[in-house]
Structure formats: structure tokens, C-alpha cells
Amino acid sequence: MGPPPDPVSSASELPSAADVVIVGGGIIGASTALFLAQRGVDVLLCEKGMVAGEQSNRNWGWVRRMGRDERELPLIVESLKLWDGMRQFLGEDVGFRRSGILYLCADEREVAGHEEWLSRAGDHALDTRIIRGDELAALLPGATRRYPAALYTESDGRAEPQKAAPAIARAAIRAGAKILQNCAVRGVDLAAGRVHGVWTEKGFVRAGAVVVAGGVWSSLFLRPLGLRLPQLAVRSSVLRTAPVAGGPEGAAWEPDFAYRKRLDGGYTIAPGILSRHPITPDSFRFFFDFMPLLKKSWREVRLEPDPRFFSRLRDGRFDPRGGEAPFERSRTLDPEPDGRALDRAWEAFQKAFPAARGAKIEQRWAGMIDATPDAVPVIAPVKSVPGLVVATGFSGHGFGIGPAAGKLAADLVTGEAPIVDPSPFRFERFSDGTKPRPTTSL
């Protein structure tokens, strides 16, 4: 099982109506609920399992601007501002610290790649720079390897996934939002072509707007509406250690491992470049959409058979108005971690930082990343279905960008001036002839 998220109280009854229903209780859905509730909107968030039960609770805990697709940069700049005030905003500590992030370089070829990103990022690069020599060594105390250079962002940070989304959800409840856990939304009901409400496993809720923030479930959820959202799942494995004395602060990445110092003094460790994509019917349905990203990420992603392949064919045929939906059969996605990949990453980390040698591994887990063909999220109203807003496909970048993504989704629902230009995140870019242009890998 993944690490248990902090608890969130659940409403006892399903209301008959709300202004807005949010589907999904990860960091995006919880943030959207908070910003809507603060504006006096009557909002109901429905989560099929527990708040932050899936990827919002299972990610690395990085809050980074560095290395992002330039289309995401304005949004992460705004999100970092929100993270800065998170303790005061929520009234509790979710572990956010601007402790810096490093992309460690093995050679000058990798340095050149990071310099190319700096040129694309332009003014949004802010304090990101290439560092070398003693300055880099000082950030890697006790390291046995001397890296020639690194891309470094001192103002990037880290937070605790098990704390962040639940704390945001609790703040949303205090602001007036209703959150109902263990309540799957089966589908959206339309009247005269626009959103009229949602069908849940507990009954019908009338609503004029729906925000779909369902992570890897979003594409399947939208299918009964005749909407095609190319989205695939990628399995990423992680472990955490007991506290380690004398190790590096902050977070860093290199091909063999990635690490983040945790608030409890331990480390979150993951393979640097290896994730796995289980082959499902959607792998074939969206094959050509994802070809550019697969070409870019072929070193980072491995394909693997999915033992539930044929049952997933059945998942695509369900009636939202009656009977059990696929979302009810899987309350919390809890994939098996890749033990061998984690063993290699842990051994490489201990070799690089002997202070960690022999530290106890407290837990291993895996999560499913919701990827889009250009590795950029969808945060947008759906033009063909008035009242429907989609916020999904964060492609492994969603935790850090989550608070601002929720604020943008709330802006789009209420019609207020958006926190950033939403056009790069439009839903229709996958159907209007725009070619996927991934600039980052998964």
C-alpha cells in the first residue's frame, strides 16, 4: 500500500444540488474546491476513495520550476507564490521548504541540454543557473562522486505529499465546501447539451458546472459524453527511508536515482529515469497521439503487459445512469512497485552518499501518472459541453503546480480573470489539428 495520507473528514449525506461538483480528491480537485468555496460557491467534491489516495499522495514531493515545458512556467511561478504562503493560508505546515533542486550532469552534453532549456525559459528561468566546482560540491556533502556541473534552482522546493492535499481539503471544508469520500461519480448528466448534474453511486446531484480532476481516470470518465481525451498511465515506483544523518538537503536528480530530503529526516528515493507503462486498450487507441512523446521518452519508459487488459475492454462500456461503474471497482489504485528498479536506485544512492549506507527502508510503493501526448496538462472548459471543465493530464508535474492549477480551474468555472493565460492548456488542442510538441519527457 502507498503511504497513508493525513485524514480528511467526510460529509455524511449527498446533497441534492450544488453549484459545482468536482470529480476527484487529489491536490488539483482539493485546490479547486478551496478557491471556489472561498468565493462563496456552493461546491461538492466527490472522491471514489479517500482524499489524496492516489498520485497526489505517491509522488516525489518536488515543487519545481526547473526543467518544465515553457507552457507550464507561468503557472508554476504562480504556484510557488501560493506554496510560500501555504502554512499561513492553511493554518498548518505541509512541509514546504525552498531548499533547492539539482539536475546533476554527467558530462558537457547534458550541460548543453540544460543550457538549451535556459534559453527557452527566458525570463521565467529566474534564478536557475549552471553551477560547478566547489559551489556544487557544497550542496552534496559526503558525496563520493564529483559531478562536473548541475542545473540548479535555489528557489525550487519540496513538500510532503501525505500532508498537502489533505490540508488543502480540510481548508476547503472550513471555507464551506462539502467533501464526500467513498462516493464515485458515475457520469455527467446533460440537459439541452449543457451540464445539468452528475450521477453518483449514492444518487443524483443537480449542478450547473462539473470539474473533472480524476487523474488517470479522466479519459475513461469522459468517454460516455463522446469526448476523446488521449491520456495514458505510467507506473512510477518510490521508496522512503528512516532518518539519515549527514546526507544532502533539498532534492536532486541523476539517471541512476532521484532523492528528496523529507521533513522527518529520511529520504524519498526513486529511479532517475525508469517508469513503466502497462499496455491497455488505450495504448492502441491513442498510439499515434503518443508517438512523439514515446520517441522522446524511450529511455525513461518501459512497456509491460497489463494482466487486466481484457477486463479494461469491458470498463469502457458502462452506463453512468445505472449499474456499477469501473471507478467503484477500484477505490484506490495501488500498483505493485518495481522492486528491482528501486533496489538499483537505493544502491546507487548509498554508493553516492555513504552516510545513507544501511539506513532502514520504511516503505516502498508505486503510483500511476496521468500523461498527455505533449506532457502538458489540460486545464480548460470543454467548448462542446457548456459547464464542463477538465483539469487532468499533469504528466508527473502536478504536485508542485497543483495549487495554481486549482486556482485556474476555479477561475474558469466562475469566469473571473484567469491567474495565467489558459490557452496552452485547452482541451481542443488534441482534436483541432495541433501536433503534440513535447519538450520534456515523462
Side-chain angles (χ1 to χ4, degrees):
M1 286 291 292
D6 286 355
V8 175
S9 62
S10 188
S12 58
E13 295 182 359
L14 183 76
S16 61
D19 294 334
V20 181
V21 174
I22 298 171
V23 182
I27 194 167
I28 313 300
S31 298
T32 305
L34 173 57
F35 286 110
L36 286 173
Q38 287 184 327
R39 300 172 192 183
V41 176
D42 180 14
V43 58
L44 168 68
L45 185 153
C46 291
E47 164 55 47
K48 64 184 178 60
M50 68 183 76
V51 167
E54 295 186 344
Q55 190 57 20
S56 289
N57 177 50
R58 296 162 184 256
N59 61 82
W60 295 3
W62 287 24
V63 180
R64 67 171 173 88
R65 181 180 68 255
M66 184 171 67
R68 285 184 181 269
D69 187 291
E70 58 267 30
R71 288 164 285 189
E72 291 183 347
L73 288 172
L75 196 57
I76 186 59
V77 169
E78 295 300 324
S79 200
L80 278 161
K81 295 176 186 176
L82 293 171
W83 281 108
D84 274 334
M86 199 67 75
R87 185 184 303 201
Q88 182 177 0
F89 188 42
L90 302 179
E92 53 186 296
D93 186 7
V94 298
F96 178 68
R97 307 288 187 272
R98 284 195 185 245
S99 51
I101 295 179
L102 292 159
Y103 282 176
L104 301 169
C105 301
D107 52 40
E108 292 303 318
R109 180 185 60 83
E110 292 183 6
V111 173
H114 293 317
E115 287 176 337
E116 192 272 336
W117 178 83
L118 283 168
S119 67
R120 285 191 287 110
D123 291 342
H124 286 113
L126 299 178
D127 64 333
T128 304
R129 57 196 175 92
I130 303 292
I131 63 171
R132 301 175 183 269
D134 291 343
E135 183 181 13
L136 174 55
L139 296 172
L140 303 171
T144 58
R145 179 178 178 183
R146 198 165 175 91
Y147 295 89
L151 187 69
Y152 177 51
T153 307
E154 185 176 6
S155 62
D156 277 354
R158 55 188 168 97
E160 298 300 325
Q162 290 78 52
K163 294 180 176 295
I168 294 169
R170 290 192 292 269
I173 293 171
R174 292 193 297 272
K178 301 177 187 69
I179 294 182
L180 200 61
Q181 299 175 94
N182 293 304
C183 180
V185 178
R186 291 173 171 172
V188 177
D189 185 64
L190 304 181
R194 66 164 297 121
V195 168
H196 176 248
V198 296
W199 296 96
T200 83
E201 63 180 297
K202 298 181 184 295
F204 182 75
V205 180
R206 189 174 69 255
V210 171
V211 178
V212 178
V216 294
W217 299 96
S218 299
S219 182
L220 178 62
F221 182 85
L222 293 170
R223 199 169 300 162
L225 295 173
L227 298 173
R228 183 181 185 274
L229 173 63
Q231 184 182 49
L232 295 177
V234 177
R235 178 169 65 107
S236 179
S237 298
V238 188
L239 66 81
R240 67 179 176 91
T241 76
V244 173
E249 294 292 326
W253 176 95
E254 63 123 277
D256 291 334
F257 61 83
Y259 69 80
R260 171 182 65 87
K261 185 72 174 288
R262 299 170 59 87
L263 199 60
D264 62 12
Y267 285 90
T268 293
I269 307 290
I273 62 172
L274 183 60
S275 297
R276 297 187 178 275
H277 166 60
I279 300 172
T280 68
D282 280 350
S283 307
F284 298 93
R285 182 178 289 112
F286 302 135
F287 178 78
F288 291 105
D289 300 90
F290 276 86
M291 275 300 295
L293 185 59
L294 288 173
K295 289 179 180 178
K296 191 172 186 64
S297 302
W298 68 271
R299 291 180 177 174
E300 289 88 357
V301 179
R302 299 287 184 272
L303 304 182
E304 62 182 9
D306 186 339
R308 293 187 56 226
F309 182 93
F310 292 103
S311 66
R312 291 186 188 280
L313 287 171
R314 186 175 65 252
D315 284 349
R317 299 187 292 270
F318 67 97
D319 182 359
R321 296 191 178 210
E324 185 182 62
F327 323 112
E328 297 161 68
R329 296 193 288 271
S330 183
R331 295 289 175 181
T332 301
L333 270 178
D334 190 35
E336 283 293 319
D338 186 335
R340 285 184 294 180
L342 287 175
D343 287 344
R344 289 192 296 267
W346 176 228
E347 185 58 36
F349 181 73
Q350 291 177 96
K351 183 177 179 181
F353 298 99
R357 179 67 65 181
K360 181 183 178 183
I361 296 176
E362 297 283 6
Q363 192 176 17
R364 299 168 182 247
W365 68 86
M368 302 301 285
I369 293 169
D370 50 325
T372 63
D374 53 11
V376 172
V378 175
I379 314 170
V382 178
K383 292 180 180 178
S384 61
V385 185
L388 181 64
V389 172
V390 176
T392 192
F394 286 82
S395 305
H397 314 154
F399 180 69
I401 213 170
K407 190 172 191 302
L408 177 58
D411 293 339
L412 296 172
V413 169
T414 60
E416 296 189 21
I419 187 173
V420 299
D421 175 13
S423 60
F425 311 117
R426 67 190 189 282
F427 180 89
E428 287 75 20
R429 72 182 189 271
F430 300 122
S431 60
D432 63 6
T434 301
K435 293 183 178 181
R437 184 175 56 84
T439 63
T440 61
S441 55
L442 292 173

